[in-house]
Amino acid sequence: MTGEVGLRERKKAATRAALSAAANRLAVELGVEHVTVEAIAAAADVSPRTFHNYFSSREEAIVASIIDWADRLTDELERRPADEPIWDSLQDVYLATLDDSADARARMVAQIQMVMANPTVIANQLAAFDAMRRRFAAAIAARTGTDASRDLYPHLIAGAAAQAVKTSMDLWAAGQTDRPLRELVADGFAQLRAGLPQPGRQTGRPAS
């Protein structure tokens, strides 16, 4: 019975991922306003009814990969050694999922352009990122003996880490730097861990 349940859950996850990938691809290729639930379902080789078993709208399907990414990251975070410093755990978990390739950069640019052109998708993306932050905060609270329902610490750490990654991705995708994405993210984490010292002030000298 356990094997059957596991297989059923894997099939459901695969269908959800196929629908999300199809929704995202069509939105990038055609523009969100030209994408229908029927087209997404057809691209994933399922019925529109099946689509509605997983998502309430095309916009939700388009950003579902963020939620799924958050689930994978949280699962990995929860598997890290309990005595490992939380910043080490977060950095390793994030870096393991990042792709520095030129193809990945092109996909990210297209994704950002698609999202920014549609306010409804932006709203769904913000909601997805907020859900991701709350999941991370709960995992961080469990690791650090804090309470996510009342303590600032796990939320601040989760939010700061996510912002370091997002800011690095934005700069990298925009071509504002030739540094690899993983290097940018690692630098962002290092600056946060150091307390974000003002550039040029570490040794007491004014910035040049």
Side-chain angles (χ1 to χ4, degrees):
M1 180 63 71
T2 301
E4 291 179 4
V5 172
L7 178 61
R8 186 162 57 248
E9 291 304 313
R10 288 194 297 273
K11 286 183 176 180
K12 288 172 63 177
T15 300
R16 174 185 166 86
L19 284 165
S20 178
N24 212 292
R25 176 175 56 79
L26 290 172
V28 168
E29 292 176 356
L30 306 175
V32 176
E33 67 276 13
H34 300 299
V35 177
T36 65
V37 167
E38 290 75 15
I40 296 169
D45 199 24
V46 299
S47 68
R49 180 177 179 180
T50 297
F51 174 94
H52 288 295
N53 288 337
Y54 291 87
F55 304 111
S56 62
S57 68
R58 64 187 180 187
E59 290 83 4
E60 184 180 345
I62 288 168
V63 304
S65 58
I66 297 173
I67 298 295
D68 295 341
W69 184 43
D71 288 343
R72 293 194 300 272
L73 288 171
T74 307
D75 289 343
E76 289 299 321
L77 181 61
E78 290 172 346
R79 283 194 282 266
R80 303 293 297 189
D83 59 348
E84 183 177 54
I86 192 61
W87 278 113
D88 289 349
S89 298
L90 286 167
Q91 179 169 318
D92 288 351
V93 164
Y94 270 114
L95 290 181
T97 69
L98 299 179
D99 185 350
D100 274 326
S101 69
D103 286 345
R105 177 179 257 171
R107 289 194 301 270
M108 192 177 296
V109 169
Q111 174 85 6
I112 291 172
Q113 290 173 343
M114 177 271 292
V115 170
M116 296 308 296
N118 191 285
T120 306
V121 178
I122 292 174
N124 277 264
Q125 186 181 70
L126 290 173
F129 277 126
D130 188 59
M132 180 178 181
R133 179 192 56 77
R134 285 186 275 107
R135 277 215 64 184
F136 259 62
I140 291 167
R143 284 281 304 275
T144 59
T146 54
D147 185 345
S149 68
R150 60 182 179 83
D151 293 332
L152 283 170
Y153 182 82
H155 294 281
L156 290 173
I157 295 295
Q163 191 60 40
V165 175
K166 183 180 184 304
T167 301
S168 297
M169 286 180 168
D170 288 345
L171 289 174
W172 183 69
Q176 300 297 327
T177 175
D178 57 2
R179 298 171 67 189
L181 177 57
R182 287 188 179 90
E183 182 182 313
L184 282 173
V185 172
D187 187 11
F189 273 70
Q191 291 191 46
L192 286 172
R193 296 176 77 159
L196 287 178
Q198 184 174 328
R201 295 294 181 88
Q202 294 93 328
T203 60
R205 295 193 302 272
S208 57

